[in-house]
Amino acid sequence: MTQVSKCQPRSPRQAARRRAAVDRLLDTTLFKALSDQTRATLLACLIKCGRPCSVSELAECCSVDFSVVARHLSVLARAGAVEANKQGRTVWYSARCAHLCETLHALAEAIEDWCPQLEARESSDSCPCEDHGGGND
Amino acid sequence: MTQVSKCQPRSPRQAARRRAAVDRLLDTTLFKALSDQTRATLLACLIKCGRPCSVSELAECCSVDFSVVARHLSVLARAGAVEANKQGRTVWYSARCAHLCETLHALAEAIEDWCPQLEARESSDSCPCEDHGGGND
DNA sequence: CCAATACTTGCACAATGACGCAAGTATCCA
DNA sequence: TGGATACTTGCGTCATTGTGCAAGTATTGG
């Protein structure tokens, strides 16, 4: 039941050396994209709209310049939060809901793997480390 | 099955006016905290360590100044990602794993609520809006 | 009481990023 | 072909934020 703690590091230095899913999923790219209020609003708008929207349409929902909206959307696209589909002169943006949900659930589960006390879901009972080096400290 | 789409806005302007759980959960405070690489490293370190760590301990895992680490940890605490427990002259920081997981799962589910095609989990079949104003556009 | 420890805060500086304007590119329609 | 539409990109400005150093505060132990 508490096999996780057997492989759990005893010092932050040891912990920092361990490589686990949580490191990869705590990648800052997506969080940087979601850390701006205008981008968060645009993403929420796309999610709630439920259909692809053009840059012009989305610019009507924001108080900022059209070019700023276009740049924000490209940031969201590079972070994988939305996807762009160019048809003619119009770019249709849509939220990557499935990808976002998968990423968020995966991060939550990667955190749960390191917290033996969070046994709500069935624990894997295995070490969440992806390497086992740096044992001595 | 597709009752969600009945209440789904047809334009981004309509979508922007709708208030839903996804708006509240896309709050930028937490994402801002996770958007810095040093802070992400500190949080991952706390998660993997599985026990409260002092600022001094955590500073050994980072290449930045001690005062910078202390400031980063206070940012993480204000965002709700970690919690501080002062005992004597030492501040013990620990990851708020349960809170983080709840927040992440809740956001993912709030997104799923707006995506009728994501029927993997049982859909609530109800409108995810928390208000129903601004219908005309 | 004094020194050491552990952390916080003030300050200056550099880097980053959001923004608006204007110019550029690509596409469509008449 | 020429103008209108839809978006992209370059550039300068401004605000925010990350950083290190140094000084300050709080707590502990001798």
Side-chain angles (χ1 to χ4, degrees):
Chain A
M1 193 67 97
T2 53
Q3 194 173 350
V4 165
S5 55
K6 279 190 186 174
C7 95
Q8 216 157 30
R10 281 149 302 279
S11 79
R13 286 183 74 98
Q14 287 178 320
R17 278 199 287 267
R18 298 292 172 86
R19 287 293 166 269
V22 72
D23 294 298
R24 182 171 34 83
L25 291 161
L26 270 177
D27 179 73
T28 56
T29 313
L30 179 61
F31 300 128
K32 276 201 175 94
L34 301 182
S35 69
D36 179 77
Q37 185 54 61
T38 306
R39 279 195 296 267
T41 304
L42 286 167
L43 179 59
C45 196
L46 277 168
I47 290 169
K48 289 182 287 182
C49 200
R51 65 157 175 85
C53 303
S54 69
V55 182
S56 313
E57 283 179 317
L58 289 163
E60 294 180 359
C61 308
C62 300
S63 53
V64 295
D65 191 75
F66 176 85
S67 70
V68 175
V69 173
R71 258 187 286 246
H72 277 318
L73 288 167
S74 87
V75 170
L76 285 168
R78 257 173 286 152
V82 304
E83 62 187 347
N85 197 315
K86 183 161 184 172
Q87 281 189 331
R89 55 189 166 182
T90 303
V91 181
W92 297 100
Y93 278 100
S94 44
R96 293 185 63 196
C97 292
H99 177 255
L100 284 169
C101 293
E102 276 170 35
T103 304
L104 293 167
H105 281 307
L107 175 55
E109 279 156 27
I111 295 172
E112 282 162 5
D113 280 346
W114 283 99
C115 303
Q117 66 274 26
L118 298 179
E119 302 276 6
R121 291 142 212 272
E122 68 281 2
S123 156
S124 67
D125 246 18
S126 64
C127 178
C129 289
E130 288 171 354
D131 73 338
H132 292 266
N136 54 346
D137 189 67
Chain B
M1 193 67 96
T2 53
Q3 193 174 348
V4 163
S5 54
K6 278 192 187 171
C7 95
Q8 216 156 29
R10 282 150 300 281
S11 79
R13 287 183 73 99
Q14 287 178 319
R17 279 198 287 268
R18 297 293 172 87
R19 289 292 165 269
V22 72
D23 295 297
R24 184 170 35 84
L25 291 161
L26 270 177
D27 179 74
T28 55
T29 313
L30 179 61
F31 299 129
K32 276 201 175 92
L34 302 181
S35 68
D36 178 78
Q37 184 55 60
T38 306
R39 279 195 296 267
T41 304
L42 286 168
L43 178 60
C45 197
L46 277 168
I47 290 169
K48 289 183 287 181
C49 200
R51 65 157 174 85
C53 303
S54 70
V55 181
S56 314
E57 282 179 317
L58 289 162
E60 293 180 0
C61 309
C62 300
S63 54
V64 295
D65 191 74
F66 176 84
S67 69
V68 175
V69 173
R71 259 187 285 245
H72 278 317
L73 288 168
S74 85
V75 170
L76 285 169
R78 258 173 286 152
V82 304
E83 63 187 346
N85 196 315
K86 183 161 185 171
Q87 281 188 329
R89 55 189 167 186
T90 302
V91 181
W92 297 100
Y93 279 99
S94 43
R96 294 185 62 195
C97 293
H99 176 256
L100 285 170
C101 293
E102 276 170 34
T103 304
L104 293 167
H105 281 307
L107 174 55
E109 281 155 25
I111 295 173
E112 282 162 4
D113 281 346
W114 284 99
C115 303
Q117 67 274 24
L118 298 179
E119 302 275 6
R121 291 143 213 271
E122 69 282 3
S123 157
S124 66
D125 246 19
S126 64
C127 178
C129 289
E130 287 170 353
D131 73 338
H132 292 267
N136 53 346
D137 189 67

Short mmCIF file of all heavy atoms in Angstrom, two decimals, chain B residues 54-56 66-67 70-71 89 91, chain C residues 3-11:
data_model
loop_
_atom_site.label_atom_id
_atom_site.label_comp_id
_atom_site.label_asym_id
_atom_site.label_seq_id
_atom_site.Cartn_x
_atom_site.Cartn_y
_atom_site.Cartn_z
N SER B 54 12.21 22.69 3.90
CA SER B 54 12.51 24.09 4.24
C SER B 54 13.01 24.83 3.02
O SER B 54 13.42 24.22 2.02
CB SER B 54 13.56 24.14 5.34
OG SER B 54 14.81 23.73 4.81
N VAL B 55 13.00 26.16 3.11
CA VAL B 55 13.49 26.99 2.01
C VAL B 55 14.95 26.68 1.73
O VAL B 55 15.37 26.59 0.58
CB VAL B 55 13.28 28.47 2.34
CG1 VAL B 55 13.75 29.35 1.19
CG2 VAL B 55 11.83 28.76 2.65
N SER B 56 15.73 26.51 2.78
CA SER B 56 17.16 26.23 2.61
C SER B 56 17.38 24.94 1.85
O SER B 56 18.20 24.88 0.93
CB SER B 56 17.83 26.11 3.99
OG SER B 56 17.43 27.16 4.82
N PHE B 66 19.19 32.20 -2.89
CA PHE B 66 18.30 31.78 -1.82
C PHE B 66 17.05 32.67 -1.73
O PHE B 66 15.92 32.18 -1.61
CB PHE B 66 19.06 31.82 -0.49
CG PHE B 66 18.23 31.51 0.70
CD1 PHE B 66 18.00 30.20 1.09
CD2 PHE B 66 17.66 32.53 1.44
CE1 PHE B 66 17.22 29.92 2.21
CE2 PHE B 66 16.89 32.25 2.55
CZ PHE B 66 16.66 30.95 2.93
N SER B 67 17.26 33.98 -1.81
CA SER B 67 16.13 34.90 -1.68
C SER B 67 15.13 34.71 -2.82
O SER B 67 13.93 34.88 -2.64
CB SER B 67 16.61 36.34 -1.65
OG SER B 67 17.12 36.73 -2.91
N ALA B 70 12.98 31.74 -2.00
CA ALA B 70 11.98 32.11 -0.99
C ALA B 70 10.82 32.86 -1.61
O ALA B 70 9.66 32.60 -1.31
CB ALA B 70 12.64 32.95 0.10
N ARG B 71 11.16 33.77 -2.53
CA ARG B 71 10.10 34.53 -3.19
C ARG B 71 9.25 33.63 -4.07
O ARG B 71 8.02 33.74 -4.09
CB ARG B 71 10.70 35.67 -4.01
CG ARG B 71 10.60 37.02 -3.31
CD ARG B 71 11.06 38.13 -4.22
NE ARG B 71 12.51 38.12 -4.35
CZ ARG B 71 13.29 39.11 -3.92
NH1 ARG B 71 12.77 40.15 -3.35
NH2 ARG B 71 14.60 39.05 -4.07
N ARG B 89 12.15 29.27 13.42
CA ARG B 89 12.67 30.13 12.35
C ARG B 89 12.64 29.42 11.00
O ARG B 89 13.10 29.97 10.01
CB ARG B 89 14.08 30.58 12.69
CG ARG B 89 15.02 29.45 12.97
CD ARG B 89 16.36 29.94 13.52
NE ARG B 89 17.12 28.82 14.06
CZ ARG B 89 18.27 28.95 14.71
NH1 ARG B 89 18.79 30.14 14.88
NH2 ARG B 89 18.89 27.89 15.17
N VAL B 91 10.58 27.64 7.84
CA VAL B 91 9.29 27.54 7.15
C VAL B 91 9.29 26.24 6.37
O VAL B 91 10.14 26.02 5.52
CB VAL B 91 9.07 28.73 6.20
CG1 VAL B 91 7.71 28.60 5.51
CG2 VAL B 91 9.15 30.05 6.95
P DA C 3 28.41 39.51 19.14
OP1 DA C 3 29.80 39.96 19.35
OP2 DA C 3 27.41 40.40 18.53
"O5'" DA C 3 28.48 38.16 18.30
"C5'" DA C 3 28.96 36.96 18.92
"C4'" DA C 3 28.27 35.75 18.31
"O4'" DA C 3 26.90 35.68 18.77
"C3'" DA C 3 28.23 35.76 16.78
"O3'" DA C 3 28.58 34.48 16.30
"C2'" DA C 3 26.77 36.07 16.47
"C1'" DA C 3 26.07 35.42 17.65
N9 DA C 3 24.74 35.98 17.94
C8 DA C 3 24.40 37.30 18.03
N7 DA C 3 23.13 37.49 18.32
C5 DA C 3 22.62 36.21 18.42
C6 DA C 3 21.32 35.73 18.70
N6 DA C 3 20.28 36.53 18.94
N1 DA C 3 21.14 34.39 18.73
C2 DA C 3 22.19 33.60 18.48
N3 DA C 3 23.45 33.93 18.21
C4 DA C 3 23.60 35.27 18.19
P DA C 4 28.99 34.29 14.75
OP1 DA C 4 30.37 33.78 14.72
OP2 DA C 4 28.63 35.51 13.99
"O5'" DA C 4 28.02 33.12 14.30
"C5'" DA C 4 27.78 32.02 15.18
"C4'" DA C 4 26.46 31.37 14.84
"O4'" DA C 4 25.38 32.18 15.37
"C3'" DA C 4 26.20 31.21 13.35
"O3'" DA C 4 25.82 29.87 13.08
"C2'" DA C 4 25.06 32.18 13.05
"C1'" DA C 4 24.35 32.25 14.40
N9 DA C 4 23.61 33.49 14.63
C8 DA C 4 24.08 34.76 14.51
N7 DA C 4 23.19 35.70 14.77
C5 DA C 4 22.04 34.96 15.09
C6 DA C 4 20.75 35.37 15.46
N6 DA C 4 20.37 36.64 15.59
N1 DA C 4 19.85 34.39 15.70
C2 DA C 4 20.23 33.11 15.57
N3 DA C 4 21.42 32.62 15.23
C4 DA C 4 22.29 33.60 15.00
P DT C 5 25.70 29.36 11.58
OP1 DT C 5 26.26 28.00 11.52
OP2 DT C 5 26.16 30.43 10.68
"O5'" DT C 5 24.11 29.25 11.43
"C5'" DT C 5 23.37 28.47 12.35
"C4'" DT C 5 21.90 28.72 12.17
"O4'" DT C 5 21.57 30.08 12.55
"C3'" DT C 5 21.39 28.54 10.73
"O3'" DT C 5 20.32 27.61 10.75
"C2'" DT C 5 20.93 29.95 10.32
"C1'" DT C 5 20.59 30.56 11.68
N1 DT C 5 20.64 32.05 11.74
C2 DT C 5 19.54 32.73 12.18
O2 DT C 5 18.52 32.18 12.52
N3 DT C 5 19.68 34.10 12.22
C4 DT C 5 20.80 34.83 11.86
O4 DT C 5 20.81 36.05 11.93
C5 DT C 5 21.92 34.05 11.39
C7 DT C 5 23.19 34.74 10.97
C6 DT C 5 21.79 32.72 11.35
P DA C 6 19.74 27.02 9.39
OP1 DA C 6 19.23 25.66 9.68
OP2 DA C 6 20.74 27.25 8.33
"O5'" DA C 6 18.52 27.98 9.14
"C5'" DA C 6 17.39 27.93 10.00
"C4'" DA C 6 16.33 28.86 9.46
"O4'" DA C 6 16.70 30.23 9.77
"C3'" DA C 6 16.17 28.81 7.93
"O3'" DA C 6 14.80 28.68 7.61
"C2'" DA C 6 16.73 30.13 7.45
"C1'" DA C 6 16.48 31.04 8.64
N9 DA C 6 17.39 32.18 8.72
C8 DA C 6 18.72 32.20 8.43
N7 DA C 6 19.28 33.37 8.59
C5 DA C 6 18.24 34.18 9.02
C6 DA C 6 18.17 35.54 9.37
N6 DA C 6 19.22 36.36 9.34
N1 DA C 6 16.97 36.03 9.77
C2 DA C 6 15.92 35.20 9.79
N3 DA C 6 15.87 33.90 9.49
C4 DA C 6 17.06 33.45 9.11
P DC C 7 14.37 28.35 6.09
OP1 DC C 7 13.26 27.39 6.13
OP2 DC C 7 15.57 28.10 5.26
"O5'" DC C 7 13.77 29.77 5.71
"C5'" DC C 7 12.73 30.28 6.52
"C4'" DC C 7 12.71 31.79 6.46
"O4'" DC C 7 14.03 32.34 6.66
"C3'" DC C 7 12.24 32.39 5.14
"O3'" DC C 7 10.90 32.82 5.30
"C2'" DC C 7 13.18 33.57 4.91
"C1'" DC C 7 13.94 33.67 6.22
N1 DC C 7 15.30 34.25 6.06
C2 DC C 7 15.51 35.57 6.44
O2 DC C 7 14.57 36.23 6.88
N3 DC C 7 16.75 36.11 6.30
C4 DC C 7 17.76 35.36 5.81
N4 DC C 7 18.96 35.93 5.70
C5 DC C 7 17.56 34.00 5.43
C6 DC C 7 16.32 33.49 5.57
P DT C 8 10.13 33.51 4.08
OP1 DT C 8 8.70 33.23 4.30
OP2 DT C 8 10.79 33.13 2.83
"O5'" DT C 8 10.37 35.08 4.30
"C5'" DT C 8 10.10 35.66 5.56
"C4'" DT C 8 10.30 37.17 5.49
"O4'" DT C 8 11.73 37.47 5.42
"C3'" DT C 8 9.67 37.86 4.28
"O3'" DT C 8 9.02 39.03 4.74
"C2'" DT C 8 10.86 38.17 3.36
"C1'" DT C 8 11.98 38.38 4.37
N1 DT C 8 13.36 38.08 3.88
C2 DT C 8 14.31 39.07 3.98
O2 DT C 8 14.08 40.17 4.41
N3 DT C 8 15.55 38.69 3.53
C4 DT C 8 15.93 37.47 3.02
O4 DT C 8 17.08 37.25 2.64
C5 DT C 8 14.87 36.48 2.95
C7 DT C 8 15.16 35.12 2.42
C6 DT C 8 13.65 36.83 3.38
P DT C 9 8.04 39.86 3.79
OP1 DT C 9 6.91 40.31 4.63
OP2 DT C 9 7.81 39.09 2.56
"O5'" DT C 9 8.91 41.14 3.42
"C5'" DT C 9 9.67 41.77 4.44
"C4'" DT C 9 10.58 42.82 3.84
"O4'" DT C 9 11.84 42.21 3.43
"C3'" DT C 9 10.05 43.55 2.60
"O3'" DT C 9 10.25 44.94 2.78
"C2'" DT C 9 10.89 42.99 1.46
"C1'" DT C 9 12.21 42.72 2.18
N1 DT C 9 13.09 41.69 1.55
C2 DT C 9 14.44 41.94 1.46
O2 DT C 9 14.94 42.97 1.87
N3 DT C 9 15.17 40.92 0.89
C4 DT C 9 14.69 39.72 0.41
O4 DT C 9 15.45 38.90 -0.08
C5 DT C 9 13.27 39.52 0.53
C7 DT C 9 12.65 38.25 0.04
C6 DT C 9 12.55 40.51 1.09
P DG C 10 9.59 46.00 1.82
OP1 DG C 10 8.81 46.97 2.62
OP2 DG C 10 8.94 45.29 0.70
"O5'" DG C 10 10.89 46.75 1.27
"C5'" DG C 10 11.88 47.20 2.21
"C4'" DG C 10 13.05 47.82 1.47
"O4'" DG C 10 13.94 46.76 1.03
"C3'" DG C 10 12.69 48.61 0.22
"O3'" DG C 10 13.54 49.76 0.15
"C2'" DG C 10 12.96 47.64 -0.91
"C1'" DG C 10 14.13 46.84 -0.37
N9 DG C 10 14.22 45.46 -0.86
C8 DG C 10 13.18 44.56 -0.96
N7 DG C 10 13.56 43.40 -1.41
C5 DG C 10 14.92 43.54 -1.63
C6 DG C 10 15.87 42.61 -2.13
O6 DG C 10 15.69 41.44 -2.47
N1 DG C 10 17.15 43.17 -2.19
C2 DG C 10 17.47 44.46 -1.83
N2 DG C 10 18.75 44.81 -1.96
N3 DG C 10 16.59 45.33 -1.37
C4 DG C 10 15.34 44.81 -1.30
P DC C 11 13.28 50.92 -0.94
OP1 DC C 11 13.60 52.21 -0.30
OP2 DC C 11 11.95 50.71 -1.55
"O5'" DC C 11 14.39 50.63 -2.04
"C5'" DC C 11 15.74 50.39 -1.62
"C4'" DC C 11 16.57 49.89 -2.79
"O4'" DC C 11 16.39 48.46 -2.92
"C3'" DC C 11 16.18 50.49 -4.14
"O3'" DC C 11 17.29 51.19 -4.68
"C2'" DC C 11 15.77 49.30 -5.00
"C1'" DC C 11 16.46 48.13 -4.29
N1 DC C 11 15.78 46.82 -4.47
C2 DC C 11 16.52 45.71 -4.90
O2 DC C 11 17.71 45.85 -5.12
N3 DC C 11 15.89 44.53 -5.07
C4 DC C 11 14.59 44.43 -4.81
N4 DC C 11 14.00 43.24 -4.97
C5 DC C 11 13.81 45.54 -4.37
C6 DC C 11 14.44 46.72 -4.21
#
